[in-house]
Amino acid sequence: PAVVLQGMTAGVNDVAFTCDAAQVIAAGCDKSLHVWDAASGRHRHTLTGHSAGVSGVAGSPLDARLAVSISEDRSFKLWDLSKGFAVRSVPCAKMPLSLALSGDGNTVVTGHLDGSVLLWDVRQCRAGAAAPLLETRDQSQPLVALATLPSHDSCLLLAARDGTVRLWDFRGASLMKLVRHPAFALGVAGGSGRPRCRLGVSPDGRLLAAGGADGGVWVWDLRHAGGSGAAAEPRQLRGGRHSGGGGGGSPAAGGGGPVAHREAVVAAAFSADMSCLVSG
């Protein structure tokens, strides 16, 4: 590794960059978050205040000083990273599993264990309001991942535990597209009690990458629709030689070749120039 970030005292549940890529934030099982300088690895802050493990963190897409975290204490917090303290703590009536911020940075979206999605206004939360703008629930599966589309401020991807991914317009509260495949089972970490994963969305908002429980990586083109509003057939990426814990060699499409990983793939991410897709 180019830099090793030291200081966590328990398992790391999630990590995020600030929007300027200058800092890294990590959410831990020890109820705290840690902030480092990305270039030097220097530890900047330990953020405390949650009373249970911190399950997710996201940086504002426009303000490098703002981050949001969710916790098993059934709350989310807004953090001022320049000063290292919580601006506001907002209680959640339901257990949050996943987190995202809208492209304009004005809306926090939380996904919950009972399958519900809640939208929160950042400015209202800063002012002390504790009520969501919107709550909706159209299925009962835990929402294990949320991701925004960079090219559409109001579009959100919602991944449920059963492997179904919905493309949802949260301003119109309407389903735009369903992403699924009968052979696809979503890879998750955290077991049955607190399942979670990380979806990969390309910077142009065109491609969705999701990890499979079988160790494969699946990629959908969100521009092309199949029947009944479903996305087009996905492409399966498979590894060549295995190197250490992961796959080596060039990925290939289709069912041939070994899976990319020996165990479930729980995270995927595209590089900014789209030359690379990373899976873990």
Side-chain angles (χ1 to χ4, degrees):
V3 180
V4 178
L5 306 176
Q6 306 276 8
M8 301 293 288
T9 61
V12 182
N13 288 329
D14 200 11
V15 291
F17 280 98
T18 52
C19 61
D20 59 1
Q23 298 181 94
V24 175
I25 319 154
C29 295
D30 62 356
K31 310 175 189 178
S32 70
L33 296 100
H34 291 251
V35 184
W36 297 268
D37 180 277
S40 67
R42 182 174 63 88
H43 189 274
R44 298 199 60 186
H45 300 294
T46 300
L47 309 177
T48 58
H50 282 298
S51 59
V54 187
S55 46
V57 63
S60 166
L62 298 178
D63 185 352
R65 300 166 298 176
L66 177 65
V68 184
S69 63
I70 54 171
S71 169
E72 293 176 8
D73 64 10
R74 298 195 180 202
S75 76
F76 71 85
K77 291 184 184 291
L78 305 178
W79 299 94
D80 183 332
L81 298 181
S82 64
K83 298 177 180 177
F85 65 79
V87 176
R88 189 67 60 190
S89 182
V90 180
C92 298
K94 305 171 181 183
M95 179 64 71
L97 293 181
S98 49
L99 169 71
L101 275 88
S102 62
D104 59 11
N106 292 328
T107 307
V108 173
V109 188
T110 52
H112 296 262
L113 188 63
D114 70 343
S116 60
V117 184
L118 276 68
L119 272 61
W120 313 78
D121 186 282
V122 170
R123 289 162 293 192
Q124 290 182 14
C125 291
R126 280 180 177 271
L133 292 171
L134 174 71
E135 178 176 347
T136 184
R137 179 171 177 260
D138 62 358
Q139 54 87 42
S140 59
Q141 291 283 325
L143 285 175
V144 296
L146 300 175
T148 53
L149 262 64
S151 53
H152 300 87
D153 278 351
S154 65
C155 288
L156 188 71
L157 288 161
L158 304 89
R161 181 64 185 89
D162 64 358
T164 301
V165 182
R166 291 167 171 80
L167 180 59
W168 189 59
D169 180 355
F170 65 77
R171 294 212 170 114
S174 61
L175 179 67
M176 298 172 63
K177 196 171 293 186
L178 205 56
V179 180
R180 61 184 174 188
H181 190 278
F184 174 68
L186 189 66
V188 296
S192 59
R194 302 285 186 272
R196 61 186 180 275
C197 65
R198 177 65 69 93
L199 302 175
V201 182
S202 62
D204 61 1
R206 181 171 64 90
L207 301 176
L208 162 67
D214 64 350
V217 181
W218 295 60
V219 180
W220 282 265
D221 189 329
L222 297 175
R223 298 174 306 173
H224 300 137
S228 304
E233 282 290 300
R235 179 179 184 183
Q236 287 181 264
L237 305 183
R238 296 194 168 253
R241 298 179 309 276
H242 278 286
S243 175
S250 300
V259 291
H261 295 263
R262 292 192 179 96
E263 296 187 24
V265 177
V266 300
F270 285 91
S271 61
D273 62 1
M274 289 185 59
S275 66
C276 183
L277 171 63
V278 183
S279 60

